[in-house]
């Protein structure tokens, strides 16, 4: 903008030179004036000080006294400071100093001219004195008779004389800087205005520009017409003349005299803006844009541009069709495949196609696809059986096969050929297609009478698997399908086929996971008399999880109840659930209390996680929860322990519901904290409800709300366990189940006290016979005469071992339930071992005999010691508890 070649740049340089010249002149004048002022000031001040001191009283006397320097030195220093000069020196006629600001100079020769002063004159001069460059005045000292007896010199160093330039020079320089800034701002404003008016062009460039503009104006394929404020044509380029059929002398004439159409004349003379107005002129379609020129302060008038859009309309129609197809494909990608359900995906495809692409849409799939399998390949020309899973159209009374029907397509039909070959088929006219009409004469005739005229059959293929056929139908009102429609149908079906295949694969995996899960869960509940049990297990709709439950009979008529949950879904969770369930069953055979069993289970999970951590991509199972409860019907007590599991619910016989508060335990595999167990007394007829979090917790429901609903649904007395399960599921089952649900309801029973007997045995050999006699008496009362022999032998061996190897009190307990259980307890924690005695051994055959005679035997440990038990199964006709 400020280029030296531009007018603004040249003006700027001239202004800068003028400002600099004025500043330099002012500075020179100040320097000259300052020099004169410096000498005048020094002279006047020095002269005044010297004359004042030279005429001071007592000066002559002091100079002629015996000690002139001692008397005058203080006086001259005081006078020097008062007069603000640099020195006052008193000397005799020979120029010997009596005083000086520097005492070492006293007595030395005065530096300067003293001759004129001895004659009574005043001398003003510059000398290089002891203080440097000095400007001094020499004044004679006269006595009372007028004789010169000495001189007084006063002066200043030239550098100490203040000058006006010190104050005036900043003002001059500041004014010059301001002037230079104003010149720069003014030049910038002028240059900006010139740039706006000329766009930075010089005269030659502007001439060349106007020539180029005129050439371009008449060469462009867009008409331009400029009309003045009085309605006359000022300019019309060649394209405007061609599009409007203007006469050669149109410029300068009124628009109304050009013979244009009313609408064209109205647009050219419009006083408002017009944007993309469509105007028909002959066989042309013009797009008109009109803008007034006086809206921004310009001259009155208007500018109108005209563009031939005849061909663009045809292209716009094709573009709109393409845009609609792209929109259809985009909408299909958003709508189709929202779920992993085969039927739902097929219905979404049919609805999407029938909404914008065709009148009716059908989807037929192979039966294997519905089960998650791959259809078997068929020979060319063979009939094809497909299940119609979706049918959507503009009417509900179409003669097409209804939804759900198994259709056998003839080998010559487009549907069968497409399913076998994997190629699409376009049938523009159904009436003339012999292959389609071979399917069903009555139904095809009804379809033609109904108005169906055109068909596209596209196979649903994904990842090399042919799964079915999608058919798109049109009626006579919409017109037949074309080749472009075939490509769109294939793209639409290809996108839907991927979703169908995904749903098929999910169906297969889900079925496999469900099968695996059910194979790992209990097939049926074991026989036992302690609890009346009912259960419900519901796998998630979207994928199986790792929930499980178990009922495990334990020695001494006790029963263990287990409910657990493994985080995650799918095959991994189901397989992990099977591992944990097997581990719990194995640990339960050791007859461990719940806290110890959970501790062993926690160590197992941690060990499994450590193994999987070394395998890339393996999933850990940390976070699994478990609840383990052991119910003893002989004492009506239940010992429970939990590992991060929801609390069980206890329903009392009167209907009161209580959520049992268990000691907090971390989920399995987390570690770091011991597990604790708690013992609860359960009244006879009460129900213990165990469940997984899928029952009480949901995405739309907090666990606190779920527990409230659970307690409300349980608070009804007198219901059987099966009725309780149904009521709980009716109240809490969500509309869409996203997690597995395991529910276990156990109503307690108490063993008849008349069927149990317990007594203490003395630690002497004679007590063995007494124990056998008491057992015989009890079995006779219970009607178990056939079990007397085996019981006596088993009891003898167990009591004998306790007397021989154990310490402390020995107790015997007989339990008569579904089986006969004989228990011998002592205070020793040493476990007996079964061994095979040699022929010459005298002992070692006791436990071997017990193991041979009893159905089962074992050892369980108590806080006081251990219990050795042996169980005999009773005959089926033997009455039980």
């Amino acid at each position: 903008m400020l280029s030296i070649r531009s007018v603004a740049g040249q003006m700027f340089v001239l202004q800068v030179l003028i400002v600099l010249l004025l500043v330099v002149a002012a500075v020179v004048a100040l320097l000259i004036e300052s020099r004169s002022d410096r000498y005048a000031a020094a002279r006047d001040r020095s002269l005044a000080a010297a004359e004042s001191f030279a005429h001071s009283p007592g000066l002559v006397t002091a100079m002629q006294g015996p000690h002139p320097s001692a008397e005058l030195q203080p006086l001259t220093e005081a006078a020097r400071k008062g007069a603000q000069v640099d020195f006052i020196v008193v000397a005799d006629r020979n120029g010997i100093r009596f005083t000086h600001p520097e005492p070492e100079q006293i007595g030395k020769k005065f530096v300067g001219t003293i001759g004129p002063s001895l004659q009574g004159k005043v001398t003003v001069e510059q000398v290089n004195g002891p203080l440097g460059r000095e400007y001094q005045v020499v004044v004679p000292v006269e006595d009372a008779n007028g004789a010169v007896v000495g001189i007084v010199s006063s002066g200043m160093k030239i550098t100490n004389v203040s000058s006006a330039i010190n104050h005036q020079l900043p003002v001059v320089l500041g004014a010059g800087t301001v002037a230079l800034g104003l010149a720069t701002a003014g030049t910038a404003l002028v240059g900006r205005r010139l740039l706006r008016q000329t766009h930075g062009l010089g005269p030659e460039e502007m001439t060349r520009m106007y020539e180029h503009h005129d050439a371009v104006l008449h060469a462009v394929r867009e008409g331009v017409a400029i009309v003045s404020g009085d309605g006359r044509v000022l300019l019309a380029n060649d394209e405007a003349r061609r599009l409007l059929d203007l006469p050669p002398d149109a410029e300068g004439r009124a628009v109304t005299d050009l013979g244009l159409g009313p609408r064209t004349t109205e647009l050219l003379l419009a006083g408002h803006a017009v944007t993309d107005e469509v105007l028909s002129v002959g066989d042309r379609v013009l797009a008109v844009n009109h803008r007034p020129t006086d809206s921004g302060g310009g001259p009155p008038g208007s500018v109108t541009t005209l563009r031939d859009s005849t061909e663009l309309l045809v292209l716009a129609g094709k573009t709109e069709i393409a845009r609609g197809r792209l929109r259809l494909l985009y909408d299909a990608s958003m709508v189709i495949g929202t779920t992993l359900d085969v039927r739902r995906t097929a219905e979404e495809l049919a609805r999407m196609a029938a909404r914008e692409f065709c009148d009716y849409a059908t989807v037929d799939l192979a039966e294997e696809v519905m089960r998650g399998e791959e259809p078997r390949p068929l020979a060319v020309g063979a009939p094809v059986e497909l299940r119609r899973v979706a049918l959507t159209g503009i009417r509900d009374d179409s003669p097409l096969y209804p939804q759900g029907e198994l259709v056998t397509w003839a080998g010559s039909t487009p549907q069968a050929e497409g399913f076998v070959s994997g190629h699409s088929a376009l049938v523009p006219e159904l009436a003339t297609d012999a292959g389609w009409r071979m399917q069903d004469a009555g139904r095809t005739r009804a379809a033609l009478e109904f108005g169906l005229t055109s068909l596209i059959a596209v196979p649903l293929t994904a990842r090399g698997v042919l799964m079915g056929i999608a058919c798109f139908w049109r009626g006579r009102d919409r017109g037949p399908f074309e080749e472009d429609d075939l490509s769109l149908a294939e793209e639409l079906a290809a996108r839907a086929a991927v979703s169908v295949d995904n749903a098929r694969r999910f169906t297969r995996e889900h079925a496999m996971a469900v099968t695996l899960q059910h194979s790992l869960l209990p097939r049926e509940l074991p026989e036992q008399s302690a609890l009346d049990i009912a259960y419900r297990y519901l796998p998630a709709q979207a994928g199986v999880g790792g929930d499980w439950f178990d009922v495990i009979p334990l020695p001494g008529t006790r029963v263990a109840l287990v409910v657990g949950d493994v985080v995650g879904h799918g095959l991994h969770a189901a397989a992990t659930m099977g591992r944990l369930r097997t581990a719990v069953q194995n640990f339960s055979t050791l007859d461990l209390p719940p806290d110890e069993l959970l501790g062993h289970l926690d160590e197992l999970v941690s060990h499994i996680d450590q193994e999987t951590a070394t395998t890339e991509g393996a999933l850990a199972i940390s976070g699994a929860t478990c609840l383990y409860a052991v119910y003893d019907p002989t004492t009506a007590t239940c010992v429970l322990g939990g590992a991060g599991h929801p609390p069980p619910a206890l329903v009392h016989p009167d209907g009161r519901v209580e959520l049992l508060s268990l000691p907090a335990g971390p989920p399995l595999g987390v570690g770091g904290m011991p597990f604790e167990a708690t013992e609860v007394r359960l009244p006879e007829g009460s129900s213990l409800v165990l469940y997984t979090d899928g029952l009480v917790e949901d995405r739309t429901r907090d666990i606190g709300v779920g527990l409230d609903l659970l307690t409300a649904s349980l608070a009804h007395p007198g219901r059987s366990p099966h009725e309780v399960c149904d009521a709980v599921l009716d109240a809490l089952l969500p509309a869409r189940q996203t997690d597995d649900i395991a529910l276990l309801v156990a109503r307690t029973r108490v063993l008849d006290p008349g069927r149990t007997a317990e007594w203490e045995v003395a630690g002497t050999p004679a007590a063995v016979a007494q124990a056998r006699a008491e057992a015989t008496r009890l079995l006779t009362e219970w009607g178990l005469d056939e079990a007397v022999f085996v019981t006596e032998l088993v009891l003898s061996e167990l009591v004998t071992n306790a007397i021989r190897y154990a310490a402390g009190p020995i107790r015997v307990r007989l339990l008569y339930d579904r089986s006969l259980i004989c228990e011998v307890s002592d205070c020793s924690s040493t476990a007996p071992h079964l061994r095979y005695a040699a022929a010459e051994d005298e002992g070692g055959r006791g436990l071997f005999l017990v193991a041979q005679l009893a159905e089962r035997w074992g050892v369980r440990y108590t806080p006081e010691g251990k219990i050795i038990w042996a169980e005999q199964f009773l005959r089926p006709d033997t009455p039980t508890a």
Side-chain angles (χ1 to χ4, degrees):
M1 181 176 64
L2 296 179
S3 173
I4 193 62
R5 299 181 60 184
S6 65
V7 176
Q10 294 172 1
M11 290 294 296
F12 177 70
V13 171
L14 179 61
Q15 291 176 349
V16 169
L17 291 176
I18 293 173
V19 171
L20 291 177
L21 181 60
L22 292 175
V23 171
V24 170
V27 171
V28 171
L30 285 175
L31 290 175
I32 295 173
E33 182 180 0
S34 174
R35 182 180 178 86
S36 176
D37 290 346
R38 183 181 293 118
Y39 289 118
R43 183 187 65 241
D44 294 344
R45 185 177 299 176
S46 301
L47 179 61
E51 288 183 344
S52 297
F53 198 83
H55 295 90
S56 60
L59 176 62
V60 176
T61 305
M63 291 176 62
Q64 295 176 350
H67 303 288
S69 296
E71 295 183 8
L72 295 177
Q73 177 68 15
L75 298 177
T76 56
E77 285 302 301
R80 177 181 68 80
K81 295 178 181 179
Q84 296 182 352
V85 295
D86 291 335
F87 63 89
I88 296 179
V89 177
V90 179
D92 59 7
R93 288 182 60 86
N94 297 323
I96 302 302
R97 299 188 186 98
F98 292 147
T99 64
H100 195 275
E102 296 178 354
E104 63 270 13
Q105 299 295 330
I106 298 175
K108 295 183 179 180
K109 186 71 174 180
F110 176 76
V111 179
T113 303
I114 63 174
S117 299
L118 294 177
Q119 297 177 4
K121 299 180 179 179
V122 176
T123 304
V124 179
E125 62 182 348
Q126 295 184 28
V127 298
N128 291 322
L131 300 180
R133 187 68 176 171
E134 300 172 346
Y135 193 89
Q136 65 183 8
V137 176
V138 183
V139 178
V141 179
E142 299 177 350
D143 58 7
N145 298 324
V148 176
V149 296
I151 63 172
V152 175
S153 175
S154 177
M156 300 178 64
K157 292 187 292 185
I158 295 177
T159 56
N160 291 339
V161 179
S162 62
S163 174
I165 190 172
N166 296 334
H167 304 288
Q168 296 174 353
L169 186 59
V171 176
V172 172
L173 294 178
T177 303
V178 172
L180 186 61
L182 292 176
T184 303
T187 304
L189 292 176
V190 172
R192 186 175 181 181
R193 184 64 180 270
L194 290 175
L195 284 177
R196 187 167 62 249
Q197 293 180 350
T198 65
H199 300 283
L201 301 177
E204 296 180 359
E205 294 172 330
M206 293 187 65
T207 301
R208 188 163 56 252
M209 180 192 69
Y210 281 115
E211 292 175 350
H212 289 171
H213 283 187
D214 188 64
V216 171
L217 183 65
H218 292 283
V220 295
R221 292 296 305 274
E222 187 166 351
V224 178
I226 301 177
V227 179
S228 63
D230 57 359
R232 296 184 177 276
V233 178
L234 297 179
L235 183 145
N237 68 348
D238 295 342
E239 186 67 10
R241 294 173 185 273
R242 184 183 72 84
L243 295 177
L244 297 178
D245 295 328
L246 296 177
D249 59 345
E251 295 182 357
R253 295 177 57 183
V255 175
T256 55
D257 297 338
L258 298 178
L260 303 175
R263 181 57 181 162
T264 304
T265 302
E266 180 183 353
L267 288 175
L268 292 176
L269 298 177
H272 58 277
V274 176
T275 302
D276 292 334
E277 181 77 19
V278 179
L279 176 65
S280 297
V281 179
D283 57 350
R284 301 188 185 94
V285 177
L286 307 181
V288 181
N289 287 276
H290 178 85
R291 295 291 184 273
T293 58
D294 57 354
S295 59
S302 61
V303 176
T304 305
T305 60
L306 307 104
R307 185 173 63 255
D308 191 352
S309 302
T310 306
E311 297 179 356
L312 291 177
L313 286 179
V314 179
L315 294 176
K318 295 182 179 179
T319 303
E320 185 62 29
I321 295 175
R323 185 183 297 113
R325 291 178 174 177
L326 290 176
R327 185 177 62 253
L328 175 61
L329 293 176
Y330 173 77
D331 294 342
S333 64
M334 300 299 292
V335 172
I336 300 175
T338 57
T339 63
L340 291 174
D341 183 82
V342 175
R343 293 181 182 275
R344 179 74 175 274
T345 304
E347 292 171 356
E348 291 170 347
L349 169 60
R351 282 197 300 268
M352 172 57 64
R355 188 177 66 185
E356 299 185 24
F357 179 62
C358 59
D359 295 329
Y360 294 89
T362 61
V363 179
D364 303 333
L365 298 177
E367 284 289 295
E368 294 86 351
V369 175
M370 308 302 295
R371 299 191 298 267
E373 304 172 1
E374 294 185 6
R376 65 183 186 279
L378 300 175
V380 177
V384 177
E385 277 193 354
L386 300 176
R387 177 75 64 181
R388 175 142 297 175
V389 295
L391 168 61
T392 305
I394 56 178
R395 292 171 55 180
D396 297 332
D397 57 345
S398 68
L400 300 175
Y401 289 107
Q403 184 173 347
E405 184 171 343
L406 182 63
V407 182
T408 302
W409 295 101
S412 61
T413 58
Q415 290 85 347
E417 291 181 351
F419 182 79
V420 173
S421 64
H423 299 298
S424 305
L426 169 62
V427 183
E429 292 292 336
L430 288 173
T432 60
D433 188 76
W436 174 73
R437 302 193 66 170
M438 290 294 294
Q439 171 63 22
D440 185 337
R443 190 174 293 275
T444 55
R445 182 172 57 254
L448 294 175
E449 294 174 356
F450 187 74
L452 299 180
T453 60
S454 186
L455 164 68
I456 290 180
V458 184
L460 296 174
T461 306
R463 304 178 181 94
V465 179
L466 274 167
M467 298 172 289
I469 288 288
C471 296
F472 308 100
W473 311 77
R474 278 186 181 177
R476 62 175 63 94
D477 296 336
R478 195 159 188 167
F481 287 110
E482 299 177 353
E483 289 295 332
D484 292 343
D485 297 320
L486 178 60
S487 61
L488 176 61
E490 289 176 340
E491 181 67 23
L492 189 63
R495 299 192 179 193
V498 175
S499 298
V500 173
D501 189 54
N502 290 338
R504 178 190 67 84
R505 289 167 175 258
F506 173 78
T507 301
R508 180 186 60 190
E509 294 182 2
H510 184 266
M512 292 172 57
V514 170
T515 302
L516 173 63
Q517 188 179 44
H518 282 288
S519 67
L520 297 175
L521 291 172
R523 301 295 180 88
E524 58 183 13
L525 296 180
E527 295 183 357
Q528 45 81 34
S529 302
L531 297 169
D532 184 9
I533 297 177
Y535 68 92
R536 297 291 186 273
Y537 186 85
L538 302 177
Q541 297 177 5
V544 297
D547 294 13
W548 93 92
F549 68 93
D550 215 339
V551 178
I552 307 172
L554 298 177
T557 70
R558 295 169 303 134
V559 177
L561 303 177
V562 189
V563 172
D565 185 4
V566 177
V567 294
H569 294 81
L571 291 174
H572 175 75
T576 303
M577 175 268 290
R579 299 174 71 178
L580 294 184
R581 178 173 177 252
T582 302
V584 171
Q585 289 180 336
N586 292 334
F587 289 142
S588 66
T589 59
L590 301 177
D591 214 344
L592 300 175
D595 52 343
E596 293 185 19
L597 185 142
L598 292 176
H600 288 293
L601 196 62
D602 179 70
E603 292 180 1
L604 174 64
V605 172
S606 300
H607 179 68
I608 295 175
D609 285 346
Q610 291 175 1
E611 290 182 347
T612 57
T614 60
T615 304
E616 185 176 359
L619 299 176
I621 61 175
S622 295
T625 64
C626 182
L627 179 64
Y628 187 80
V630 177
Y631 174 69
D632 189 348
T634 62
T635 59
T637 58
C638 183
V639 182
L640 305 97
H645 203 79
L650 175 61
V651 183
H652 292 267
D654 58 357
R656 181 170 55 89
V657 180
E658 176 186 1
L659 291 177
L660 299 180
S661 179
L662 303 182
L668 299 175
V670 176
M673 291 181 61
F675 296 95
E676 298 181 24
T678 184
E679 182 174 331
V680 180
R681 183 170 182 81
L682 305 182
E684 184 177 6
S686 61
S687 296
L688 188 63
V689 181
L690 283 67
Y691 53 91
T692 57
D693 59 354
L695 179 68
V696 295
E697 191 174 11
D698 189 56
R699 293 178 181 176
T700 60
R701 182 177 62 202
D702 186 73
I703 188 172
V705 178
L707 291 176
D708 293 340
L709 293 175
L710 175 64
T711 55
S713 63
L714 294 174
H716 298 279
R719 292 187 303 192
S720 67
H722 288 279
E723 293 173 341
V724 173
C725 289
D726 294 337
V728 169
L729 293 181
D730 290 341
L732 282 87
L733 190 64
R736 178 165 180 78
Q737 183 184 340
T738 59
D739 194 7
D740 290 7
I741 294 177
L743 175 63
L744 190 64
V745 179
R747 187 168 59 186
T748 61
R749 297 173 180 169
V750 177
L751 187 63
D752 184 0
R755 298 246 180 164
T756 65
E758 184 175 4
W759 67 92
E760 186 172 342
V761 177
T764 61
V768 177
Q770 298 175 1
R772 286 200 304 267
E774 181 65 19
T776 302
R777 185 186 65 78
L778 290 172
L779 294 181
T780 303
E781 291 181 1
W782 292 342
L784 302 177
D785 296 332
E786 295 182 358
V788 170
F789 175 74
V790 174
T791 303
E792 286 182 345
L793 184 57
V794 169
L795 188 61
S796 296
E797 295 298 334
L798 295 182
V799 172
T800 301
N801 284 341
I803 294 173
R804 180 176 299 177
Y805 301 108
I810 301 172
R811 300 190 65 83
V812 175
R813 187 172 71 156
L814 295 181
L815 301 176
Y816 174 26
D817 189 35
R818 293 178 176 270
S819 60
L820 180 63
I821 302 171
C822 179
E823 297 180 347
V824 177
S825 61
D826 55 57
C827 296
S828 174
S829 59
T830 303
H833 296 283
L834 180 66
R835 62 191 183 96
Y836 297 92
E840 63 274 9
D841 291 343
E842 294 183 1
R845 297 177 178 83
L847 285 181
F848 178 77
L849 292 176
V850 172
Q852 294 296 317
L853 296 175
E855 299 295 336
R856 296 188 305 165
W857 76 280
V859 180
R860 72 173 182 270
Y861 294 94
T862 64
E864 296 80 15
K866 67 177 183 295
I867 297 176
I868 305 177
W869 56 270
E871 182 177 2
Q872 305 174 53
F873 289 165
L874 302 177
R875 292 174 52 184
D877 56 350
T878 303
T880 61

